[in-house]
C-alpha cells in the first residue's frame, strides 16, 4: 500500500511539473557541491534540484532535520522527531527512488526498518515526509 501511495504521489508531482510549461528537463549528475548538472552545459538544472543539503523545519511541530553528505545515490539525515512524546535525534541513510532525484526513502525495505519507512518528496524549498499513514511538510530554513 505504501509503495502504491508513493508511486501516485510521485506521478502527481511529475504531471504537475510537466504542465507548468517549462522546458523538458535533461538528464544530469550531481557535482561535488551537490548541485545537479545538465550534461550539455554543466549549469544547475533547477532550484528544486540544486543541493538539498541544509536544514528543514516542520510547518506544524518542533520537528526538524538536516540533510548532509549528498551523493549521486542518496544522502544522510539527522532527524529530530517525536518518539513517545519526546523530541529525539535519529540518523537515517536515504537513497533516491527515481532518476530525477525527487523522491528518496530509507535504505532497505519497510520490513528492514521495523515496519517504518520515511519517504521524502522534494519540492521547491520544501520536503514532504511520509511514513505509515502520515505526512508532514518541512520548509528549508537556511538557503
Amino acid at each position: 500500500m505504501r509503495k502504491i501511495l508513493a508511486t501516485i504521489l510521485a506521478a502527481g508531482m511529475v504531471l504537475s511539473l510537466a504542465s507548468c510549461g517549462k522546458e523538458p528537463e535533461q538528464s544530469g549528475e550531481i557535482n561535488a557541491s551537490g548541485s545537479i548538472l545538465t550534461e550539455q552545459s554543466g549549469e544547475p538544472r533547477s532550484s528544486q534540484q540544486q543541493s538539498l543539503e541544509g536544514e528543514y523545519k516542520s510547518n506544524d511541530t518542533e520537528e526538524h532535520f538536516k540533510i548532509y553528505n549528498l551523493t549521486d545515490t542518496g544522502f544522510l539525515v539527522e532527524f529530530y522527531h517525536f518518539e513517545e512524546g519526546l523530541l529525539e535525534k535519529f540518523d537515517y541513510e536515504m537513497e533516491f527512488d527515481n532518476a530525477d532525484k525527487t523522491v528518496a526513502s530509507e535504505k532497505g525495505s519497510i520490513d528492514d526498518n521495523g515496519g517504518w519507512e520515511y519517504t521524502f518528496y522534494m519540492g521547491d524549498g520544501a520536503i514532504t515526509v511520509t511514513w505509515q499513514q502520515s505526512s508532514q511538510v518541512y520548509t528549508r530554513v537556511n538557503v
Side-chain angles (χ1 to χ4, degrees), residues 4-138:
I4 292 171
L5 177 60
T7 303
I8 290 170
L9 287 171
M13 288 176 63
V14 170
L15 291 174
S16 66
L17 288 174
S19 66
C20 290
K22 295 182 181 178
E23 293 181 19
E25 292 186 20
Q26 300 172 9
S27 61
E29 63 186 50
I30 297 177
N31 69 10
S33 70
S35 295
I36 298 177
L37 306 177
T38 61
E39 290 177 340
Q40 292 144 341
S41 69
E43 296 297 318
R45 285 190 353 183
S46 72
S47 60
Q48 173 183 340
Q49 293 176 322
Q50 287 181 12
S51 177
L52 295 169
E53 289 185 339
E55 297 177 26
Y56 297 80
K57 66 175 185 160
S58 167
N59 294 346
D60 301 320
T61 70
E62 297 174 36
E63 294 182 338
H64 57 281
F65 60 83
K66 177 182 175 183
I67 292 177
Y68 62 101
N69 285 359
L70 182 68
T71 69
D72 192 39
T73 58
F75 51 89
L76 299 178
V77 177
E78 183 178 285
F79 203 155
Y80 293 85
H81 60 85
F82 286 103
E83 180 73 23
E84 297 182 11
L86 299 173
L87 195 62
E88 295 187 27
K89 177 188 168 221
F90 296 87
D91 295 301
Y92 299 108
E93 188 173 354
M94 307 294 285
E95 60 187 349
F96 290 113
D97 294 340
N98 62 0
D100 291 334
K101 297 176 177 59
T102 56
V103 179
S105 60
E106 286 181 75
K107 262 196 162 173
S109 70
I110 292 174
D111 293 334
D112 295 334
N113 296 312
W116 287 79
E117 183 175 76
Y118 287 97
T119 302
F120 286 31
Y121 297 90
M122 278 56 97
D124 195 16
I127 295 177
T128 300
V129 178
T130 63
W131 66 99
Q132 293 186 329
Q133 286 96 24
S134 300
S135 70
Q136 190 157 279
V137 176
Y138 295 80

